[in-house]
């Protein structure tokens, strides 16, 4: 019984597959409609509803006293903004009163969507497709559950999620890979639920979501590059128990539109000033030291999609070890991968695929686990803080990334939400080591390179 409940709880996590599917070029496929894809994501609930408008409007009542007193004196709009900031939600560009990260239907029910992790804000601007470095999945789950109890509302399986499954130890990161492992392990190749199926042993760890504008350049998906791309894989996030096998077939046309939308996204341009002369020198540094893995930009741009062995890149290997060859093969032989008809599956990858760097200025924190707060720290491996926390929501234009406070120890007396503001690189899966290639550069070259990265 617990396993069945557990299965439902974690399925609300839309993080794992949403940003990782590019255009399916199979012969005869209908070309998707990008605008329709966006509309599907913000208006169509593909999961069971999580909570209602009344619950969200009253969530402030379970906040700590100081914040609760502030909210009590605020009006409804101000309280909504306080809640948005607390949980890492943003208003939609076309309607700031509506959350980008949730489908809110006419009845006022809220359902999580892909933008929970793949729609965020940088330098005060909301950008669809941007990694949401503020989303607190565990925080909103816990406090919505408390609010429902306060209002006497019925709890749903999702409300128990964080009690039995790690949701994420830091804001902006989630245990996304294991959500996918757990979901697919309960289904056969046709996506039918298997009676008595149980979860495999899982290596829990946190991941920073990738930007959606990268996938158009890729042939294979995910950090370890194991999966051939195709629009069906987008539907992984709907593997809740309530969705029977036929539901995926019925929704396939929607997701042709969704990945057409993803395929249309472009990286945001850096909004600050750029020293063009310095950036020109940085372009030379980039070409000589970075382009072999990350590709080139401008005329004749090329992205090599290079797999870098783990013993070479030396970044945290928890993500690589979290998927077994059997799991990757299981995905490859399923409906998601057209029962193995899509060639290119890599069951046992050697390391991580170096990502393209379009819009890299906007995607802090860095490395796949979000352990490095700025591009400056990425280029200065010996200066990366071992323990840091968010200082403000403002963008650090000097170091290019999030504004942080370096700590000597974890402060005492923090609430659980405040604790998730603190990034401790000594914890499992949180290492900021590796990618020490910039050590061959001198300080001038690093400064020039940092300026060039603004232009991508």
């Amino acid at each position: 019984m617990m396993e069945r409940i557990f299965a439902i709880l974690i399925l609300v996590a839309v993080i794992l597959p949403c940003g990782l599917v590019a255009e399916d070029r199979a012969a005869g496929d209908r070309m998707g409609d990008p605008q329709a894809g966006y509309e599907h994501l913000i208006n169509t609930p593909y999961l069971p509803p999580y909570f209602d408008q009344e619950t969200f409007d009253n969530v402030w009542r379970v906040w700590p006293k100081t914040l609760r007193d502030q909210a009590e004196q605020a009006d409804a709009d101000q309280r909504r903004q306080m809640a948005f900031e607390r949980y890492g939600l943003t208003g939609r560009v076309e309607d700031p009163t509506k959350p980008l990260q949730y489908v809110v239907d006419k009845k006022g029910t809220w359902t999580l969507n892909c933008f929970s992790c793949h729609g965020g804000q940088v330098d005060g601007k909301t950008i669809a497709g941007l990694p949401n470095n503020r989303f607190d999945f565990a925080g909103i789950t816990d406090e919505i559950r408390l609010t429902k109890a306060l209002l006497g509302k019925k709890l749903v399986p999702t409300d128990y999620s964080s009690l039995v499954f790690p949701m994420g130890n830091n804001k902006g990161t989630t245990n996304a890979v294991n959500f996918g492992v757990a979901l697919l392990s309960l289904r056969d190749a046709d996506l039918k639920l298997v009676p008595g199926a149980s979860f495999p042993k899982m290596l829990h760890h946190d991941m920073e979501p990738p930007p959606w504008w990268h996938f158009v350049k890729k042939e294979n998906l995910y950090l370890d590059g194991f999966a051939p791309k195709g629009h069906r894989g987008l539907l992984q996030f709907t593997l809740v128990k309530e969705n029977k096998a036929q539901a995926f077939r019925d929704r396939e046309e929607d997701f042709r539109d969704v990945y057409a939308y993803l395929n249309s996204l472009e990286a945001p341009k850096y909004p600050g000033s750029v020293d063009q002369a310095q950036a020109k020198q940085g372009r030379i540094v980039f070409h000589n030291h970075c382009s072999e893995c990350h590709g080139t930009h401008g005329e004749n741009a090329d992205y090599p999609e290079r797999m870098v062995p783990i013993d070479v890149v030396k970044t945290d290997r928890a993500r690589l070890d979290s998927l077994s060859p059997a799991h990757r093969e299981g995905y490859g032989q399923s409906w998601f991968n057209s029962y193995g008809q899509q060639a290119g599956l890599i069951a046992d990858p050697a390391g991580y695929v170096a990502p393209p760097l379009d819009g890299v200025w906007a995607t802090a924190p860095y490395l796949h686990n979000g352990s490095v707060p700025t591009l400056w720290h990425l280029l200065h491996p010996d200066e990366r803080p071992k323990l840091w926390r968010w200082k403000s929501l403002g963008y650090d234009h000097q170091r290019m990334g999030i504004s942080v406070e370096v700590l000597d120890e974890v402060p005492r007396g923090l609430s659980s939400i405040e604790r998730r503001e603190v990034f401790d690189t000594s914890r499992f899966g949180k290492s900021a080591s590796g990618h020490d290639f910039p050590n061959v550069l001198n300080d001038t070259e690093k400064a020039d390179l940092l300026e060039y990265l603004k232009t991508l």
Side-chain angles (χ1 to χ4, degrees):
M1 179 63 179
M2 178 57 70
E3 287 184 347
R4 291 198 297 272
I5 294 176
F6 187 22
I8 300 173
L9 304 183
I10 62 174
L11 305 182
V12 298
V14 302
I15 302 96
L16 173 64
C18 293
L20 303 170
V21 180
E23 186 175 2
D24 187 339
R25 298 177 176 83
D29 278 350
R30 175 182 68 83
M31 293 295 292
D33 179 346
Q35 182 59 35
Y38 175 74
E39 296 292 335
H40 291 322
L41 290 176
I42 63 170
N43 293 326
T44 305
Y46 295 103
L47 299 168
Y50 181 11
F51 52 87
D52 61 18
Q53 188 67 50
E54 183 184 15
T55 301
F56 188 78
D57 289 344
N58 284 277
V59 71
W60 63 272
R61 298 182 185 277
V62 302
W63 291 349
K65 186 178 187 308
T66 300
L67 194 61
R68 187 171 68 247
D69 290 345
Q70 181 183 345
E72 189 171 15
Q73 299 302 315
D75 61 30
D77 289 341
Q78 292 170 329
R79 282 198 291 266
R80 179 182 61 246
Q81 186 57 40
M82 291 173 68
F84 274 24
E85 291 180 2
R86 184 167 177 81
Y87 304 124
L89 309 182
T90 61
R92 302 173 188 176
V93 173
E94 67 275 16
D95 185 351
T97 67
K98 293 183 178 180
L100 177 64
Q101 293 78 14
Y102 283 81
V103 175
V104 183
D105 65 18
K106 294 180 179 179
K107 296 180 180 180
T109 57
W110 287 48
T111 304
L112 204 65
N113 67 25
C114 295
F115 288 118
S116 58
C117 290
H118 296 282
Q121 192 172 81
V122 62
D123 205 28
K125 182 180 180 181
T126 296
I127 301 174
L130 176 74
N132 188 353
N133 58 22
R134 296 293 298 170
F135 183 51
D136 189 354
F137 198 11
I140 193 169
T141 299
D142 290 347
E143 294 191 341
I144 286 293
R145 181 181 66 251
L146 292 174
T147 306
K148 285 184 177 181
L150 181 67
L151 299 176
K153 291 183 177 289
K154 181 180 179 181
L155 300 182
V156 298
T158 305
D159 295 313
Y160 301 101
S161 301
S162 60
L163 300 178
V164 294
F165 196 89
M167 309 299 285
N169 290 309
N170 284 100
K171 290 186 176 182
T173 66
T174 60
N175 190 16
V177 174
N178 282 325
F179 298 152
V181 171
L183 301 179
L184 196 55
S185 67
L186 302 178
R187 306 258 180 169
D188 63 17
D190 292 320
L191 306 187
K192 296 177 181 177
L193 288 164
V194 177
S198 59
F199 303 126
K201 184 178 180 180
M202 289 179 280
L203 194 66
H204 294 297
H205 65 290
D206 289 344
M207 284 279 294
E208 178 84 3
W212 268 353
W213 54 80
H214 282 178
F215 79 87
V216 68
K217 291 190 170 184
K218 295 188 174 186
E219 294 298 325
N220 273 39
L221 311 174
Y222 307 123
L223 178 64
D224 57 7
F226 89 90
K229 65 188 179 186
H231 68 279
R232 288 183 174 183
L234 261 178
L235 280 151
Q236 287 183 73
F237 83 91
T238 65
L239 279 169
V240 292
K241 185 178 180 182
E242 289 84 351
N243 287 336
K244 308 305 179 185
Q246 185 58 41
F248 305 100
R249 280 79 173 170
D250 293 341
R251 294 168 173 174
E252 184 173 3
E253 290 304 305
D254 284 7
F255 283 83
R256 293 189 195 278
D257 295 330
V258 170
Y259 78 71
Y261 165 69
L262 301 179
N263 194 44
S264 72
L265 294 175
E266 297 180 354
K269 293 183 179 180
Y270 177 64
S273 61
V274 178
D275 185 322
Q276 295 297 334
Q278 188 176 21
K280 185 177 181 179
Q281 294 301 311
R283 184 177 186 276
I284 297 172
V285 177
F286 184 90
H287 178 78
N288 291 337
H289 296 277
C290 311
S291 62
E292 182 179 352
C293 293
H294 293 290
T296 57
H297 299 261
E299 293 185 11
N300 302 314
D302 178 64
Y303 172 60
E305 199 167 356
R306 182 177 178 183
M307 175 81 71
V308 184
I310 190 65
D311 292 337
V312 175
V313 69
K314 298 178 182 178
T315 51
D316 195 295
R317 64 174 298 139
R319 165 63 180 84
L320 181 65
D321 297 335
S322 64
L323 293 181
S324 68
H327 177 81
R328 295 186 182 97
E329 285 284 5
Y331 171 90
Q333 296 303 315
S334 75
W335 181 85
F336 289 130
N337 195 47
S338 299
Y339 303 104
Q341 293 180 26
Q342 291 181 269
L345 183 88
I346 304 174
D348 194 10
Y352 298 136
V353 177
L357 297 182
D358 309 65
V360 68
W361 71 270
T363 60
Y366 297 97
L367 297 184
H368 64 272
N369 57 8
S371 59
V372 180
T374 72
L375 281 172
W376 186 91
H377 288 107
L378 191 67
L379 297 178
H380 295 79
D382 295 338
E383 299 295 327
R384 295 173 189 168
K386 294 180 172 59
L387 190 68
W388 55 270
R389 69 175 170 184
W390 286 75
K391 185 177 181 179
S392 73
L393 298 182
Y395 186 81
D396 185 341
H397 285 272
Q398 180 178 359
R399 292 193 168 186
M400 304 298 292
I402 59 177
S403 179
V404 299
E405 175 188 3
V406 178
L407 303 173
D408 293 324
E409 61 181 6
V410 178
R412 298 179 182 274
L414 297 180
S415 67
S416 57
I417 283 185
E418 292 170 334
R419 179 64 181 81
R420 284 190 289 277
E421 296 268 1
V422 178
F423 201 105
D424 184 352
T425 64
S426 69
R427 300 183 69 178
F428 178 77
K430 300 283 188 180
S431 173
S433 64
H435 196 278
D436 54 8
F437 311 116
N439 283 337
V440 302
L441 306 177
N442 60 40
D443 287 344
T444 299
E445 290 171 321
K446 291 178 181 179
D448 292 344
L449 178 57
L450 186 65
E451 198 71 13
Y452 174 67
L453 293 176
K454 296 178 182 179
T455 70
L456 303 184

